[in-house]
Amino acid sequence: MGRLLVGGLVVAIVAALLFYFYSSSYRTQIDQQTQQVSQLNDQLLKLQTENEQLKAELSKVQNEQSILAAQNEEMRKAIAEFKATGKMPVIPPPPK
């Protein structure tokens, strides 16, 4: 009976140690994952900010592109008018 008690006690101690090491490694893993999530959230915020800046810059470029296309069309019309009449047409100055 004493052997059973000692054996049971040894098994309980080993089980307690295994549980301790498992829970310790589990806590470490959770801490690492929490840190990774925090880093990923920081990266996400940075990328979202950069995305907004790039959208603003794209909008400016598209606006400039439409202005240039309109100016180009005016120049084509002026050239066609010059070819047809031989007189230099009055071209309004580009907007600033």
Side-chain angles (χ1 to χ4, degrees):
M1 174 111 165
R3 287 183 177 173
L4 276 174
L5 215 51
V6 171
L9 186 60
V10 168
V11 168
I13 290 172
V14 168
L17 285 173
L18 287 175
F19 177 74
Y20 174 76
F21 289 126
Y22 173 75
S23 66
S24 169
S25 68
Y26 184 70
R27 274 187 251 123
T28 303
Q29 184 180 11
I30 288 177
D31 290 342
Q32 288 174 347
Q33 287 177 348
T34 302
Q35 186 179 17
Q36 283 179 334
V37 167
S38 176
Q39 289 174 348
L40 290 173
N41 281 333
D42 291 343
Q43 286 179 353
L44 177 63
L45 289 175
K46 180 182 173 185
L47 290 174
Q48 285 174 337
T49 302
E50 185 178 341
N51 189 30
E52 291 302 318
Q53 290 172 348
L54 290 174
K55 283 181 181 179
E57 290 177 17
L58 177 63
S59 175
K60 289 177 186 177
V61 169
Q62 287 174 337
N63 186 31
E64 185 176 338
Q65 182 183 10
S66 66
I67 290 171
L68 291 174
Q71 288 175 350
N72 194 20
E73 186 61 31
E74 288 177 19
M75 293 297 287
R76 283 186 186 150
K77 288 179 183 178
I79 291 171
E81 184 179 332
F82 177 75
K83 286 181 179 179
T85 64
K87 295 181 182 177
M88 191 67 163
V90 177
I91 301 173
K96 294 188 180 198

